[in-house]
Amino acid sequence: MSGKANSGRTQAQRSAATRDALVQAARPLFAADGYAAVGTEAIVRAAGVTRGALYHQFEDKTELFAAVFEVVEAALTQRIDDAVSNSGLEDPIELMLLGARAWLDACAEPEAHRIVLVEAPAVLGWLRWREVGLRYGMGLVQSLLDYAMQVGRIRQQPLEPLAHVLIGALDEAALFVAQSENPDRARADVLVVLEDLLGSMAVG
């Protein structure tokens, strides 16, 4: 029994390692060349595994891309959470503005720009792209809004719909910058709008 259990754990570890190798190999390829231009042969060669191993782990290239997108989205969320948590700021409005700036800064970088804003909506469809974004970002946004209500910096109101509206604004802001011919100017303009939006929510 013990030998079988150890064998099972070893197989699970090998499978996880193969999956991770594929995701880590595909991530820079998708970021550099885009989903359509990256073939599965290039991915398995970079990962050092067989094509059969790829299709054992993922139904198709789309599902591998989805896994890459989740990894990038999780890293973005953690980065913003760290920036907010380590800022030393206490005012929730300032914390939300800091988070918004961190989000826009991250999305301006080549990997996040290509994978999160350009490729993911096109490859996965808007609904799936939105679901992943909400899954990772909702907790952080809700916690900041809840804190703001508790300390009286914004008025009490339904938390979940407010969080959805704010995330929608942040996503659209990032997409606006990503699609602009002058991203620097677009980012500056968007930050003015976000500052006004968050400032209009503030009381006290």
Side-chain angles (χ1 to χ4, degrees):
M1 179 71 71
S2 175
K4 289 182 179 179
N6 287 334
S7 175
R9 282 196 296 272
T10 300
Q11 182 59 38
Q13 290 168 353
R14 287 175 179 169
S15 180
T18 299
R19 181 182 180 89
D20 183 62
L22 286 162
V23 170
Q24 294 307 318
R27 182 174 173 174
L29 294 174
F30 287 141
D33 301 322
Y35 174 83
V38 177
T40 55
E41 184 60 38
I43 295 170
V44 298
R45 186 167 57 248
V49 303
T50 66
R51 188 186 295 271
L54 186 156
Y55 289 111
H56 179 73
Q57 295 294 329
F58 300 99
E59 180 180 348
D60 53 25
K61 190 175 76 165
T62 300
E63 291 309 308
L64 172 56
F65 176 84
V68 170
F69 170 46
E70 292 235 9
V71 168
V72 175
E73 187 74 28
L76 280 176
T77 303
Q78 187 62 55
R79 175 174 166 179
I80 296 166
D81 194 4
D82 289 344
V84 170
S85 300
N86 298 325
S87 68
L89 298 173
E90 294 185 1
D91 180 67
I93 300 298
E94 291 183 9
L95 287 170
M96 284 188 278
L97 283 171
L98 175 65
R101 293 189 191 99
W103 164 244
L104 291 177
D105 287 345
C107 288
E109 294 171 2
E111 180 185 70
H113 175 272
R114 187 72 177 260
I115 291 176
V116 175
L117 299 178
V118 176
E119 299 289 341
V123 174
L124 304 178
W126 189 87
L127 288 177
R128 190 173 181 186
W129 173 74
R130 182 73 168 149
E131 184 273 325
V132 172
L134 287 174
R135 180 154 26 96
Y136 285 98
M138 179 60 76
L140 176 59
V141 172
Q142 282 190 329
S143 66
L144 286 171
L145 290 171
D146 186 50
Y147 171 53
M149 290 183 199
Q150 288 181 23
V151 299
R153 283 293 278 140
I154 63 175
R155 67 178 179 82
Q156 291 291 329
Q157 54 194 290
L159 178 60
E160 186 174 357
L162 179 59
H164 274 270
V165 168
L166 186 54
I167 287 176
L170 292 168
D171 282 347
E172 286 298 322
L175 288 169
F176 177 79
V177 175
Q179 295 165 1
S180 173
E181 294 182 357
N182 188 339
D184 290 339
R185 174 62 182 274
R187 181 186 181 279
D189 290 346
V190 157
L191 279 174
V192 171
V193 174
L194 289 174
E195 288 171 2
D196 285 347
L197 175 64
L198 292 171
S200 70
M201 295 167 54
V203 297

